[in-house]
Amino acid sequence: MPHRWHNGPQTCGWMEMSVSVGRPCPALGPRESLLRRGRDSLQLLSSSPGFHLREVVEVLEQFVQEGRISAVMWEVCQQQAQAGSPDLQEALLNKIVCLPDHVSNKLQGKNPPVFFPQNYFPFLGGAVIQVLQKISDSLRGGLDCSISFVSHVLGKVCVHGRQEEILSVLLPRLTDLTKSDCIWQRICWRLVECVPDRWMEAVLLGFVQRAPGADVLSRLLGNLVVKNKKAQFVVTQKVLLLQYSHTTAVLQNLLGYLSLDSLRRALLIKVLLELLETWGSSSAVKHSPPEQQQYISKAILICLSHLKEHEIESYREELLTSMMEGVKCHLDSSLPQIRCLGMIVAESISSKINTDGPVLKFQYEEDDEARELKSLLVQTPPFCVVPNLPDDEKNIYTPQTNSYLYFFYSDDDLIPYDMSEDKELKVKAPVYIRDCIEVLTGSEDVDKWDTTVKALESLVRKNPAATREVSVELAKILLHLEEKTCTEGFGELRQRAQVAVLTTDPIPVAKYLTSQFYSLNYSLRQRIDILDVLVLAAQELSYPKSHGKTKHAGAQKPCIQLLPGSDSSKDWRRIVDERIKSKTRRFAMGRSQVEVAAVPNEFSSVAGHFFFPLIQHFDRPLTTFDLLGEDHLVLGRLVHTLAILMYLAVNTVAVTAMGKALLEFVWALRFHTDSYVRQGLLSCISSVLLSVPKERLLEDMTEELLETQSWLGGKMGWCNTSGFVALVFVQCLFN
């Protein structure tokens, strides 16, 4: 109810109010009467005539500087315990929080410094601390009081965007007061729990962004996210999945807070699974910005760092499934940054769920961003360096052991070893194939492993009989072999060893490799490696391994045989040779002719084992492999591999059947949209025309050739030179 004020009593009333709030006087009457007078006095600012405005502002300035706001707030807290008037409390709340705005509106921006927001709200933060101290004293004395009004003040200030000003005062004091006092901890918990839901997000984000660590945040908030649904939504959904502008420190605070209590750990697991679901969504990967995907990846790695062994064991299947789906989506992306994120997160999940077995390893450029992401997976304990120590000694305090560790950096008194005659120890290379298998599968000696990898190819070629006994087992080991050390040229060494094994025992090893090409749980890199090994081995088997002897043209011719021992004959021969040499002009020397010895084509008897298993199952999609779908890169490599095998099978028994099957394969893929695949199809047609005899083409493949001719003629728009040559060749066959 508005009051009417006369000139004299207005100023006196203000002065009386400003004095009485800090020093209650019996003459003021009940507490509610005092609060009503305080509210009306604050309203005086908006209703005063212009010539009294400066006096009102001076009284308000003195009111704030003397800390009287805390007295008003304390009176409200006591009144709330006795069920005071909600309307009165709401009016006081608006006036206290919005006082700088009201003053600025009246004075047209010419505020006294105390009403600047950067000055007023720290004052208000100090007033909140004073009220909380009185609440603490009251609780220790067994008296009732309420903290709701203080929570409302904090919430309204934060939602108006003044978190930094008020929390810069409030948060450090609460951090100190809650270190060892359980009553202060409960007061702080109630302070945030009583914030209305409409203001909870602003308060919660203010605490999370400014808390010096997860342990401090846990002391300040308690189990707020378990008790308050709004806080739980903000922490588990909005901050992690809907926003991505927060820093890494904020994520570490938030997720570390969830991990520090048994009741909150269930939310940590829930958050991790939801993050992985988003990370593994192909739609999210395609349509969300890279910054958000990096933010989600950081959150996943921080969650993983907080998981315990029994939790990993309980959710191993879910983690594995999410990892397989997510890494596929990321590797399919056209952005290198997204692919790198997928590799790093997949490696981290794999290292967590397979602590004793093999883990995923990818090849990517390890820049600062990648190193930062990997560091999030390792939680290192904080260390604080104690100052004022000698230069050669550093004292580090470890909170876990409550002790000091001393490190002496001076090594002047140490006696150096004499290493002048030291020699590098060389590991002896293995001499048996089974020794190589033993080292590659179980040895932890990296030097022996490195030596074995380098010596394996030559050992396989020198011992073909021993290799055939374990050829399939050795091929399996080499297919799954991963680099343990920084061996120079490791990929080439492994590939050459695979080729050596395949050429030594072609049929069983080719059957194994071609069957694994369409098996589950192989990476695209491994499938392409299989194709490369098959091509290199086929080339080696199809080329002759020995050459005939060279016959020189300068053979002796029949000549007149003179009697030996005649000096005149020697002179005569010398004179004639010199004359012939001086009279003869030579324009070029004849090249020696090399006669190549005829040897059997070793690829002839095994070509079908290389070729037909690869062409049989290309149209059967698997769970992790779809040649006719997203894995068109591997399909292109497969098509080119078949073309090479077809070309190398020239003059073999199976060449006609291979050519017929390959033309049917080409016909099935003739409308493929990928240019690399289409180029491979043209190579296949060219290989068939070059390898299959003309008679067999016309007699056994007439229908296929006519279809191919029609198709090539209708697709000259995208045919390259090889396609044009193939078309001309087909037309020449029928002409």
Side-chain angles (χ1 to χ4, degrees), residues 19-58:
V19 175
S20 63
V21 170
R23 309 177 186 82
C25 177
L28 293 176
R31 183 178 292 112
E32 184 171 351
S33 175
L34 173 63
L35 292 177
R36 288 185 182 278
R37 290 161 58 194
R39 178 198 63 182
D40 295 340
S41 301
L42 289 170
Q43 286 178 341
L44 178 65
L45 181 66
S46 58
S47 59
S48 296
F51 54 87
H52 291 301
L53 189 59
R54 181 55 60 184
E55 297 176 1
V56 173
V57 171
E58 290 176 358

Side-chain angles (χ1 to χ4, degrees), residues 450-681:
D450 185 68
T451 304
T452 301
V453 170
K454 293 179 179 178
L456 184 57
E457 181 198 2
S458 62
L459 196 59
V460 167
R461 297 190 185 277
K462 290 177 183 177
N463 300 274
T467 301
R468 291 188 186 98
E469 295 177 1
V470 292
S471 58
V472 175
E473 181 183 357
L474 188 55
K476 181 178 180 180
I477 293 170
L478 290 171
L479 181 59
H480 295 86
L481 190 64
E482 293 184 356
E483 187 175 7
K484 285 186 177 180
T485 61
C486 296
T487 306
E488 185 177 357
F490 168 76
E492 183 181 356
L493 290 172
R494 185 184 66 167
Q495 186 181 75
R496 285 162 54 184
Q498 288 177 291
V499 172
V501 174
L502 181 53
T503 55
T504 303
D505 197 10
I507 294 178
V509 177
K511 286 182 178 179
Y512 170 73
L513 291 177
T514 52
S515 66
Q516 297 307 298
F517 180 77
Y518 288 107
S519 296
L520 294 172
N521 300 326
Y522 279 96
S523 67
L524 300 184
R525 179 70 264 171
Q526 286 175 306
R527 300 181 200 274
I528 293 175
D529 287 344
I530 291 174
L531 297 176
D532 292 341
V533 170
L534 289 172
V535 167
L536 293 173
Q539 287 178 339
E540 183 175 330
L541 290 171
S542 63
Y543 290 163
K545 291 184 172 59
S546 60
H547 299 279
K549 295 181 179 179
T550 304
K551 293 185 177 181
H552 298 281
Q556 290 184 356
K557 296 180 180 180
C559 60
I560 300 174
Q561 297 293 329
L562 300 176
L563 293 175
S566 174
D567 295 336
S568 61
S569 65
K570 294 181 181 178
D571 293 339
W572 176 83
R573 171 62 62 186
R574 180 177 58 81
I575 293 171
V576 170
D577 288 342
E578 288 179 356
R579 287 181 179 178
I580 292 174
K581 185 177 180 181
S582 63
K583 300 292 183 179
T584 303
R585 297 179 63 187
R586 292 181 174 86
F587 297 97
M589 297 293 292
R591 180 179 297 177
S592 60
Q593 296 178 356
V594 179
E595 182 179 340
V596 179
V599 294
N601 184 351
E602 296 182 17
F603 186 58
S604 175
S605 59
V606 298
H609 298 284
F610 280 64
F611 183 85
F612 290 110
L614 286 179
I615 208 171
Q616 283 179 349
H617 306 302
F618 73 94
D619 56 347
R620 299 182 185 178
L622 302 176
T623 305
T624 59
F625 184 50
D626 185 7
L627 277 178
L628 299 183
E630 298 177 350
D631 299 320
H632 48 79
L633 172 62
V634 184
L635 177 61
R637 294 295 293 270
L638 172 62
V639 173
H640 284 81
T641 299
L642 293 172
I644 296 172
L645 295 177
M646 185 71 226
Y647 177 74
L648 296 175
V650 62
N651 298 327
T652 62
V653 177
V655 68
T656 304
M658 291 171 61
K660 189 176 181 65
L662 190 56
L663 287 179
E664 293 176 356
F665 174 79
V666 170
W667 187 254
L669 297 175
R670 65 190 185 280
F671 295 122
H672 202 281
T673 58
D674 188 78
S675 59
Y676 183 56
V677 175
R678 296 198 302 268
Q679 291 173 6
L681 297 178

Side-chain angles (χ1 to χ4, degrees), residues 9-306:
Q10 284 179 355
T11 304
C12 296
W14 249 115
M15 294 303 296
E16 179 184 1
M17 182 263 175
S18 65
V19 175
S20 63
V21 170
R23 309 177 186 82
C25 177
L28 293 176
R31 183 178 292 112
E32 184 171 351
S33 175
L34 173 63
L35 292 177
R36 288 185 182 278
R37 290 161 58 194
R39 178 198 63 182
D40 295 340
S41 301
L42 289 170
Q43 286 178 341
L44 178 65
L45 181 66
S46 58
S47 59
S48 296
F51 54 87
H52 291 301
L53 189 59
R54 181 55 60 184
E55 297 176 1
V56 173
V57 171
E58 290 176 358
V59 173
L60 282 175
E61 186 176 359
Q62 182 183 0
F63 181 77
V64 172
Q65 289 177 338
E66 292 180 0
R68 303 300 176 85
I69 292 182
S70 63
V72 175
M73 294 168 64
W74 171 238
E75 293 292 339
V76 177
C77 292
Q78 290 177 298
Q79 184 191 27
Q80 282 182 327
Q82 302 173 5
S85 171
D87 295 337
L88 175 61
Q89 295 167 9
E90 185 67 24
L92 281 172
L93 174 65
N94 291 331
K95 294 302 178 184
I96 289 174
V97 174
C98 302
L99 186 58
D101 295 333
H102 293 322
V103 173
S104 179
N105 289 338
K106 280 295 181 181
L107 298 181
Q108 300 298 316
K110 299 178 182 179
N111 294 17
V114 71
F115 293 114
F116 291 167
Q118 63 268 29
N119 296 330
Y120 175 78
F121 290 105
F123 273 122
L124 189 56
V128 169
I129 290 293
Q130 293 175 14
V131 175
L132 294 179
Q133 183 65 58
K134 292 180 181 179
I135 291 174
S136 173
D137 297 338
S138 178
L139 293 176
R140 296 174 198 274
L143 301 177
D144 292 336
C145 58
S146 174
I147 202 172
S148 294
F149 186 74
V150 184
S151 300
H152 284 59
V153 170
L154 176 62
K156 193 160 184 121
V157 170
C158 289
V159 85
H160 282 192
R162 297 299 174 182
Q163 298 106 314
E164 183 176 356
E165 287 85 354
I166 192 169
L167 292 180
S168 63
V169 174
L170 196 58
L171 209 57
R173 289 291 296 135
L174 291 177
T175 301
D176 293 336
L177 292 169
T178 56
K179 279 182 179 178
S180 58
D181 194 326
C182 61
I183 293 181
W184 265 106
Q185 287 184 9
R186 291 186 175 275
I187 289 173
C188 192
W189 296 349
R190 289 296 298 167
L191 175 67
V192 290
E193 287 172 9
C194 291
V195 174
D197 286 349
R198 62 185 184 276
W199 302 330
M200 178 61 73
E201 180 180 351
V203 175
L204 192 57
L205 285 179
F207 273 74
V208 172
Q209 291 169 346
R210 290 163 182 82
D215 54 338
V216 174
L217 194 63
S218 182
R219 289 205 314 265
L220 298 178
L221 300 182
N223 284 330
L224 174 67
V225 293
V226 179
K227 300 176 182 178
N228 188 288
K229 293 296 182 182
K230 176 67 175 182
Q232 186 177 125
F233 171 76
V234 171
V235 168
T236 63
Q237 297 290 323
K238 195 162 188 179
V239 174
L240 297 175
L241 297 173
L242 303 179
Q243 300 173 349
Y244 56 93
S245 59
H246 301 292
T247 63
T248 305
V250 170
L251 288 175
Q252 290 174 323
N253 272 358
L254 195 62
L255 298 171
Y257 159 72
L258 293 179
S259 70
L260 290 177
D261 186 87
S262 57
L263 294 176
R264 302 195 295 264
R265 290 197 70 86
L267 292 177
L268 178 69
I269 300 294
K270 176 187 174 185
V271 162
L272 175 58
L273 295 179
E274 291 179 349
L275 287 168
L276 286 172
E277 182 181 358
T278 304
W279 178 76
S281 169
S282 58
S283 176
V285 172
K286 289 179 181 177
H287 300 104
S288 57
E291 294 80 10
Q292 184 172 11
Q293 296 182 50
Q294 183 184 25
Y295 183 83
I296 291 175
S297 299
K298 288 181 180 180
I300 290 173
L301 295 178
I302 295 171
C303 286
L304 289 173
S305 69
H306 291 295

